[in-house]
Amino acid sequence: MPEDPKRMREWVERVATFVSEEWGLAPITGRIMGWLMACDPPAQTAGEIADAIGASRASLTTNMQLLTSIRLVRRFRKPGERTVYYQIEDDAWEKVIRQKLQAFAAFDQLADEGLALGWDDDAKTRRIRSAKNSISWLNDHLKQG
């Protein structure tokens, strides 16, 4: 069954919205990720990606540098070719999840440090404890799944 380009563009745009709203990244970053998850062939040139998502080459280059620096997208050349290709890493989403979990673990330590300050103000302690309890809930929930 041939793919519907309109539906694919709509899906890529939904990925862009998610990445922008949930992670605070530029929509073009999400468009790149969405496109590279679904495109065929999976390895694309910067020009192919720019054309597919309607981006300028300058904007695309900046966002590709970000995605390659955090190792969600791989930049490479095929043997015997000078053309540079980009492909989303097979473990890109695992990396995203691991980074988020590491951030929660780091914040859990900050909450411990905040509680160790020994404040007499129950409101401050309650807010810090609430943050810590939320992170503990997430950790417990992940262990059960």
Side-chain angles (χ1 to χ4, degrees), residues 8-133:
M8 185 164 165
R9 282 192 306 273
E10 289 170 352
W11 181 79
V12 166
E13 197 57 36
R14 288 197 315 271
V15 173
T17 300
F18 176 87
V19 167
S20 178
E21 290 177 357
E22 295 299 320
W23 301 340
L25 296 174
I28 186 173
T29 307
R31 287 185 192 103
I32 293 167
M33 292 180 70
W35 177 255
L36 288 176
M37 282 190 287
C39 65
D40 186 37
Q44 303 265 308
T45 66
E48 290 169 331
I49 297 166
D51 290 345
I53 66 171
S56 72
R57 290 292 293 267
S59 181
L60 186 87
T61 300
T62 300
N63 285 276
M64 282 304 206
Q65 288 173 342
L66 168 67
L67 290 169
T68 56
S69 72
I70 59 176
R71 293 184 169 84
L72 297 181
V73 171
R74 176 170 70 100
R75 180 184 192 273
F76 65 98
R77 287 188 171 87
K78 294 179 180 178
E81 291 187 27
R82 297 183 70 191
T83 305
V84 173
Y85 293 89
Y86 297 91
Q87 185 171 347
I88 196 158
E89 292 284 4
D90 290 339
D91 64 348
W93 293 101
E94 180 182 336
K95 288 176 184 174
V96 167
I97 292 167
R98 287 186 186 280
Q99 289 170 354
K100 294 293 182 188
L101 292 176
Q102 288 171 352
F104 281 123
F107 191 81
D108 190 48
Q109 290 176 342
L110 284 173
D112 284 340
E113 290 173 19
L115 291 171
L117 292 174
W119 286 319
D120 291 335
D121 184 342
D122 287 338
K124 287 180 185 177
T125 303
R126 184 173 47 252
R127 292 189 304 260
I128 295 169
R129 224 177 270 294
S130 175
K132 183 156 181 58
N133 290 343

Side-chain angles (χ1 to χ4, degrees), residues 127-145:
R127 292 189 304 260
I128 295 169
R129 224 177 270 294
S130 175
K132 183 156 181 58
N133 290 343
S134 296
I135 293 168
S136 293
W137 173 86
L138 177 62
N139 283 329
D140 292 345
H141 187 74
L142 290 172
K143 289 175 187 174
Q144 292 173 6

